[in-house]
């Protein structure tokens, strides 16, 4: 079972307009809403790839109940921890004329002090059956800065491989707890390391540095570069570049699909290079369908076959 | 009891940003969400003015349950009719730099065919105790075009005065059913009458025409002109202009507060001119506080005292 941490899920709304005009009233020409947030996207993508998953999600109020029902309707299994307040929503406005997204992410309200400990216990309860623990996205306001570090630590003690995709202070603290895999995008890497990931060489040095901070030997550092691919430094120090020249219209959630492909690949005992190809294929397949973390598994496998992974 | 029809309520979210940038990701510097939609705003404003109210609202799913709880927390009594699907949300993005609102209104999903008849029955059940029926805002997709006409008709047969604030085909149909008061803004009047309400004189002719379509004698036609005031043709044909030179920062919902002030004023046996002053005061008081339909009743009464109402 791939256990996917979703501490701060969201009702993700896609609101399509002919053109976004500041100061105007807009009514949608297209509208969908889905259970979202990075952790749920990873769970959805991994489930689509055929893996057993369990999304451990902190849910709140009526909006949280909506997410519980939406996941059940999709067939994504979850373990839910309830706390007070309301689960947040995120609105992405797709401008058809300009082909661009303007996004409005609620922060979510502060959670009470007992919310995080209860959530962490629920994650730990799932570790006995876990092949992977994925930790992605934000924590709700009021969570402790070392919240993700606690989860990495618990997974390490349980012998469960753990993959981390976070940002800012949470990333920094959790990295020192030694995740098996750390995967960030170039902006998150730049924020952490204090240097722009302007070139592939610089990004590779960033991946090396992330791996070193996680503990070097046995750890994997990954920096994703969007449509330009990915750089990886593997557990034994092997350095890889991955590319896949397919660009879909719906890149939102491709990073989450990447993480899903990587964990599903290694769960199936693929080597790092093969897992990386499935990760790239999943990310590209995600970009071909609307809805973050949604992908056609056959298409992901076919795209994986055309992914290029080279040793540096 | 002022019975306020709210067929298509909404979770109204105000998302404040330093600056709206198309194509960017925004996180709020301020965020509130409230039970909204024009009917609920009228109910909230009338309750604030001290009236007994009953909001008859069609609610749907988890978002509907949120609205039910939010109204209970505010102390706004309601009668709720449940149908399938989810109550919609509306996001207003306030740009602090430009001092402007960019709004995203969901339409709501189609309602099943039995939703409207059930809702109309719930409205009719409230008429026995009603001093006013207010009908404001949109109907959910899938409602019959003559839905509001049915409600006007039922109120007329029950002897309950009915005030209508609608737009488009629903306004056109309901107007012919003979509401006691029809109140629209200049844009809605222009859409219906096929002519811009470019001057106060033209708007007054518009109010006269609205009153004529509602049945002339005994009916009141009102066209609101935003900050420029309001023109009114009363039940006996008396023509009035109303002005109040106070402009608040939060005009959203002022039209709903106006309707609340007007019905509360006449419920208290004020003459048309006095009720109009309370309506103008309520609209101005609404604009002084964030939150549609929120107002300080003492401030509304004080502002009503400085409203200017003149016979044409």
């Amino acid at each position: 079972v791939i256990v996917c941490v979703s501490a701060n899920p969201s009702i993700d709304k896609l609101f399509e307009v002919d053109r976004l005009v500041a100061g105007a009233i807009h009514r949608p020409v297209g509208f969908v809403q889905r259970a979202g947030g990075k952790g749920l996207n990873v769970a959805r993508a991994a489930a689509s790839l055929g893996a057993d998953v369990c999304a451990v999600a902190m849910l709140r109020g009526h909006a949280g109940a909506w997410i519980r029902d939406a996941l059940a309707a999709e067939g994504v299994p979850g373990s839910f921890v309830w706390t007070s307040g309301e689960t947040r929503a995120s609105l992405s406005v797709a401008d058809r004329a300009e082909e661009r997204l303007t996004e409005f992410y609620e922060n979510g309200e502060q959670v009470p002090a007992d919310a995080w400990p209860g959530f962490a216990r629920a994650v730990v309860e799932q570790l006995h059956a876990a092949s992977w623990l994925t930790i992605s996205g934000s924590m709700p306001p009021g969570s402790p800065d070392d919240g993700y570090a606690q989860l990495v630590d618990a997974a390490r003690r349980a012998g469960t491989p753990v993959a981390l995709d976070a940002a800012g202070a949470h990333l920094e603290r959790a990295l020192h707890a030694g995740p098996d895999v750390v995967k960030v995008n170039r902006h998150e890497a730049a924020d952490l390391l204090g240097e722009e990931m302007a070139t592939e060489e610089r990004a590779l040095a960033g991946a090396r540095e992330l791996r070193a901070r996680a503990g070097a030997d046995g750890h994997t550092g990954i920096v994703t570069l969007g449509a330009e691919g990915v750089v990886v430094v593997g557990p034994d120090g092997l350095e890889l570049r991955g590319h896949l020249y397919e660009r879909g219209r719906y890149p939102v959630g491709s990073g989450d699909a990447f993480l899903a492909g990587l964990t599903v690949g290694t769960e199936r005992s693929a080597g790092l290079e093969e897992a990386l190809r499935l990760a790239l294929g999943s990310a590209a397949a995600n970009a071909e369908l609307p809805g973050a973390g949604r992908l056609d598994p056959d298409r992901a496998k076919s795209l994986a076959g055309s992914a290029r992974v080279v040793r540096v």
Side-chain angles (χ1 to χ4, degrees), chain A residues 225-230 242-252 254-255 258 277 279-289 298-308:
Chain A
L225 305 169
E228 291 164 56
V230 61
H243 298 275
L244 178 53
Y245 296 102
E246 292 285 340
R247 299 188 186 193
R249 289 181 56 204
Y250 307 98
V252 176
S254 282
F258 179 94
R277 270 189 282 270
L280 288 162
S282 301
N286 174 89
E288 292 184 349
L289 293 182
D298 294 331
R299 181 68 182 150
K301 282 162 206 159
S302 146
L303 284 163
S306 52
R308 218 171 123 244

Side-chain angles (χ1 to χ4, degrees), chain A residues 26-135:
Chain A
H26 302 79
R27 294 176 199 276
V29 293
F31 181 77
V32 289
Q33 51 188 340
R34 292 210 170 77
K38 292 173 71 72
L40 296 185
N41 297 343
V42 173
R44 172 182 297 119
S48 295
L49 291 170
D52 285 333
V53 306
C54 175
V56 184
M58 196 186 301
L59 297 182
R60 317 175 68 181
H62 299 296
W66 187 91
I67 286 186
R68 175 199 60 206
D69 293 357
L71 289 176
E74 295 186 68
V76 175
S79 164
F80 306 122
V81 180
W82 294 87
T83 189
S84 59
E86 284 287 319
T87 290
R88 70 202 171 109
S90 304
L91 187 76
S92 296
V93 179
D95 179 324
R96 288 186 178 177
E98 301 286 341
E99 290 193 11
R100 69 180 168 202
L101 278 182
T102 305
E103 303 187 77
F104 302 97
Y105 294 169
E106 294 171 19
N107 293 325
E109 306 155 71
Q110 193 91 1
V111 289
D114 63 349
W116 186 264
F119 181 72
R121 276 194 301 276
V123 173
V124 169
E125 277 169 20
Q126 298 297 326
L127 289 177
H128 67 281
S131 57
W132 271 101
L133 179 69
T134 69
I135 303 175

